[in-house]
């Protein structure tokens, strides 16, 4: 059988788009020597027959992504593994051979490993000196084999893909964050750091296409509210969530919405550039910290001289950046920024508290007028070992504006609870709805709901046991 077709079947079954029996039937119809394009078309024809036009297009996009990935995997001249992470495949033997591998062999092994992990819906892989290789699957850390990487192994793996500039930065600062790219469909955010035993690296898998809000798991009513926020031509939109909550993919989805329905200049400032955006109706400019600009603050100042309509900031991480972003939102620009906070109240507290007390009344007044909305999100493990998104949405209105200007952020909770007509919702409501739909366990719900007095009686004791 064609190696490309083998990979296509492996990836399609792994993602749940095709069943193994369906693939076997297709092979009987098309022949064992069929090429990947013919096989992929046959698979699409079979699966799209009962679908409407919209869902058929979504299926086509997913199968095209799998086709491109499968061709790349076959190019490494390595067949799909007979079993992988779901069957707890033991990688000890392969990892133990790293000291004897030539660089090209190690590169091929790592790329093949990365692509297999991508097919298995895993988000991160960890290589650290004097430790087992680990992966993060559905928010849980799992070991990958039983071979302990030596200091030399970890150094080789984590520096193999570095260019001269990155090597110098790592030597100088003992840590480095960069985007590793083999193609626009195969990108990784890499974070390296030196620790007591040597070098450690975390490789975060970036999506190979820009997903819609619905594909990311947002409910239709939430997607509609978020899309409405993007109709504004000035003001401040904040996207918040803990580290690892999926803000990057959501931010890319927001930019893509504007890219299709607006005709503006969008300047994105990121550290590093993670998801590559292609200009459609909008002109999109992406800049990377260190590579293209010194800092977020410098980049925003520069952006204001580049005729922008929309400025997207990867992280509002210091006083100067936040101050310039708020000012830009008041001077006719739509500013979208992210923060590593868990809910709307903490997000506003984080923005205001970064300023000296003497400046806080002025900042509160500026935010109360320029704020358009806040979207907070978190990822929760589901019963079927995937993840689901829960969110909290605040839409600015007169009540919100007055509460923010007076610094009474604790009063926002009842506004969120009663603002459903404007599209608002609380994180607790969102988490409980996932529980009601039987997507998450009772224990997961209880662990992530703050107002337990309102919800605990609605979750049975049997469900809450994990």
């Amino acid at each position: 059988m064609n190696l490309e077709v083998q990979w296509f079947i492996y990836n399609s079954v792994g993602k749940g788009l095709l069943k193994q029996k369906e693939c076997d039937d297709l092979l009987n119809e098309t022949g064992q020597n069929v090429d990947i394009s013919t096989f992929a078309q046959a698979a699409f024809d079979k699966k799209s027959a009962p679908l409407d036009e919209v869902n058929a297009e979504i299926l086509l996009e997913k199968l095209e992504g799998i086709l491109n990935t499968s061709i790349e995997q076959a190019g490494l001249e390595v067949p799909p593994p007979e079993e992988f992470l779901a069957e707890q495949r033991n990688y000890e033997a392969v990892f133990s051979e790293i000291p004897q591998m030539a660089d090209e062999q190690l590169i091929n092994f790592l790329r093949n490993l990365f692509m297999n992990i991508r097919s298995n819906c895993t988000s991160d892989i960890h290589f650290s000196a004097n430790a087992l290789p680990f992966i993060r699957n559905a928010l849980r850390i799992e070991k990958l084999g039983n071979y302990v990487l030596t200091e030399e192994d970890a150094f080789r793996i984590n520096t193999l893909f570095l260019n001269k500039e990155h090597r110098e930065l790592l030597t100088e600062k003992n840590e480095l964050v960069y985007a590793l790219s083999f193609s626009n469909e195969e990108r990784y955010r890499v974070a390296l750091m030196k620790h007591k035993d040597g070098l450690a690296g975390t490789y975060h898998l970036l999506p190979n296409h820009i997903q819609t809000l619905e594909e990311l798991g947002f409910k239709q009513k939430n997607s509609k509210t978020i899309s409405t926020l993007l109709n504004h031509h000035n003001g401040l939109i904040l996207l918040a969530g803990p580290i690892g909550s999926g803000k990057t993919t959501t931010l890319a989805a927001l930019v893509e919405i504007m890219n299709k329905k607006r005709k503006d200049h969008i300047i994105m400032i990121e550290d590093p550039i993670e998801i590559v955006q292609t200009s459609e109706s909008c002109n999109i400019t992406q800049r990377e910290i260190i590579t293209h600009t010194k800092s977020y603050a410098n980049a925003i100042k520069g952006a204001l001289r580049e005729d922008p309509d929309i400025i997207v900031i990867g992280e509002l991480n210091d006083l100067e950046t936040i101050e310039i972003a708020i000012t830009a939102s008041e001077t006719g620009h739509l500013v979208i920024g992210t923060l590593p906070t868990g809910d709307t109240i903490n997000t506003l507290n984080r923005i205001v508290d970064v300023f000296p007390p003497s400046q806080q009344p002025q900042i509160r007044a500026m935010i109360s007028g320029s704020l358009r909305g806040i979207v907070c999100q978190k990822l929760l493990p589901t019963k079927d070992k995937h993840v689901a998104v829960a969110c909290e949405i605040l839409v600015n209105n007169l009540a919100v504006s007055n509460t923010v200007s007076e610094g009474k952020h604790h009063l926002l909770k009842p506004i969120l609870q009663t603002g459903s007509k404007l599209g608002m919702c609380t994180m607790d409501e969102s988490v409980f709805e996932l529980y009601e739909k039987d997507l998450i366990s009772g224990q997961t719900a209880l662990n992530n709901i703050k107002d337990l007095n309102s919800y605990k009686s609605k979750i049975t004791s049997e469900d809450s046991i994990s």
Side-chain angles (χ1 to χ4, degrees):
M1 187 194 307
N2 186 306
L3 190 57
E4 292 177 347
V5 174
Q6 291 182 46
W7 274 111
F8 184 87
I9 292 173
Y10 175 80
N11 293 328
S12 299
V13 172
K15 285 185 175 292
L17 294 183
L18 295 172
K19 296 179 180 178
Q20 186 61 52
K21 187 178 185 307
E22 291 175 324
C23 294
D24 294 339
D25 291 343
L26 285 171
L27 284 173
N28 289 332
E29 296 171 12
T30 58
Q32 292 288 324
N33 296 322
V34 63
D35 64 87
I36 189 171
S37 297
T38 303
F39 187 85
Q41 183 63 53
F44 173 73
D45 292 342
K46 185 179 184 68
K47 296 295 290 186
S48 63
L51 302 178
D52 57 31
E53 184 176 351
V54 173
N55 286 313
E57 288 183 3
I58 293 173
L59 174 65
L60 178 61
E61 186 176 356
K62 290 181 178 179
L63 287 176
E64 285 178 343
I66 288 176
L67 184 145
N68 293 332
T69 299
S70 300
I71 291 173
E72 290 186 21
Q73 289 170 311
L76 299 177
E77 299 182 355
V78 178
E82 295 179 2
E83 52 185 346
F84 195 60
L85 303 177
E87 290 79 22
Q88 302 294 318
R89 183 183 176 196
N90 188 349
Y91 274 84
E92 181 175 3
V94 185
F95 280 111
S96 65
E97 294 173 5
I98 288 176
Q100 287 76 46
M101 288 184 185
D103 284 352
E104 185 176 352
Q105 289 177 298
L106 183 54
I107 288 172
N108 285 343
F109 165 66
L110 292 173
R111 285 198 63 187
N112 188 46
L113 175 63
F114 290 161
M115 286 189 283
N116 271 292
I117 286 175
R118 183 180 294 277
S119 301
N120 203 59
C121 302
T122 296
S123 62
D124 300 86
I125 183 167
H126 299 250
F127 298 122
S128 182
N130 287 342
L132 300 171
F134 285 92
I135 59 168
R136 185 175 294 279
N137 189 15
L139 304 180
R140 300 177 180 88
I141 288 289
E142 301 173 3
K143 66 180 182 179
L144 195 62
N146 296 306
Y147 175 74
V148 176
L149 297 172
T150 66
E151 182 177 351
E152 293 75 17
D153 293 336
F155 184 84
R156 275 195 73 198
I157 291 172
N158 291 315
T159 60
L160 193 60
F161 299 107
L162 298 183
N163 59 31
K164 181 181 177 181
E165 181 183 6
H166 285 151
R167 288 176 182 271
E168 291 174 352
L169 284 171
L170 179 60
T171 300
E172 176 187 350
K173 298 184 176 182
N174 290 331
E175 56 191 4
L176 174 71
V177 178
Y178 74 101
L180 174 62
S181 174
F182 300 109
S183 69
N184 283 349
E185 289 76 35
E186 191 186 347
R187 292 175 62 83
Y188 309 87
R189 183 183 68 228
V190 184
L192 305 180
M193 67 174 184
K194 291 184 179 178
H195 65 110
K196 66 180 179 61
D197 294 323
L199 194 60
T202 299
Y203 296 73
H204 179 69
L205 283 69
L206 300 172
N208 55 18
H209 71 284
I210 299 172
Q211 298 168 284
T212 65
L213 292 174
E214 289 82 3
E215 285 179 310
L216 293 174
F218 287 90
K219 293 177 294 185
Q220 189 173 17
K221 63 180 181 180
N222 293 335
S223 299
K224 184 177 179 180
T225 302
I226 295 169
S227 296
T228 301
L229 292 177
L230 300 176
N231 291 334
H232 291 287
H233 289 274
N234 57 51
L236 179 66
I237 298 174
L238 299 175
L239 175 60
I243 293 173
S245 61
K247 295 189 297 296
T248 296
T249 51
T250 300
L251 192 63
L254 302 188
V255 173
E256 188 66 6
I257 291 171
M258 296 185 291
N259 192 19
K260 291 182 182 298
K261 71 178 182 180
R262 299 179 60 152
K263 295 182 179 179
D264 291 315
H265 182 198
I266 302 174
I267 297 180
M268 302 181 67
I269 306 161
E270 304 168 79
D271 183 21
I273 293 172
E274 298 186 43
I275 299 175
V276 176
Q277 310 265 171
T278 303
S279 299
E280 293 185 28
S281 295
C282 291
N283 175 26
I284 298 179
T285 305
Q286 289 182 272
R287 305 188 71 197
E288 184 171 279
I289 303 300
I290 297 179
T291 305
H292 306 132
T293 182
K294 182 179 178 181
S295 66
Y296 279 113
N298 277 25
I300 300 171
K301 291 176 184 177
L304 292 173
R305 296 189 290 269
E306 292 295 328
D307 187 33
D309 298 289
I310 302 163
I311 302 174
V312 178
I313 305 167
E315 186 176 350
L316 296 167
N317 59 359
D318 58 58
L319 186 152
E320 186 179 11
T321 300
I322 294 172
E323 186 172 28
I324 298 171
I326 294 173
T327 301
S329 71
E330 286 195 311
T331 55
H333 305 90
L334 180 63
V335 177
I336 305 174
T338 75
L339 292 101
T341 47
D343 56 42
T344 54
I345 294 175
N346 284 326
T347 299
L348 288 168
N349 288 339
R350 176 77 171 267
I351 290 285
V352 173
D353 290 348
V354 76
F355 291 90
S358 60
Q359 283 186 258
Q360 290 181 9
Q362 178 189 358
I363 294 301
R364 286 197 294 268
M366 294 171 72
I367 294 174
S368 68
S370 63
L371 182 67
R372 299 304 181 191
I374 301 175
V375 179
C376 298
Q377 66 180 74
K378 68 167 62 174
L379 296 179
L380 304 178
T382 61
K383 288 184 173 181
D384 61 356
K385 297 185 178 180
H386 287 79
V387 293
V389 64
C391 67
E392 180 169 279
I393 301 176
L394 176 75
V395 179
N396 198 5
N397 59 12
L398 183 59
V400 171
S401 180
N402 290 337
T403 301
V404 172
S405 66
E406 294 172 3
K408 298 178 180 178
H409 298 164
H410 62 283
L411 298 180
L412 289 173
K413 183 177 178 180
I415 296 175
L416 284 164
Q417 292 171 329
T418 58
S420 59
K421 289 185 178 179
L422 291 175
M424 299 193 214
C425 66
T426 68
M427 186 66 73
D428 284 357
E429 291 168 354
S430 184
V431 172
F432 183 70
E433 188 166 341
L434 292 175
Y435 167 74
E436 281 191 310
K437 291 182 177 180
D438 201 33
L439 294 174
I440 64 174
S441 69
Q443 189 61 56
T444 298
L446 291 172
N447 290 343
N448 289 277
I449 288 176
K450 290 186 176 181
D451 185 7
L452 288 177
N453 291 333
S454 299
Y455 291 94
K456 193 170 184 179
S457 62
K458 302 176 184 179
I459 301 173
T460 66
S461 58
E462 182 179 356
D463 288 330
S464 67
I465 298 173
S466 66

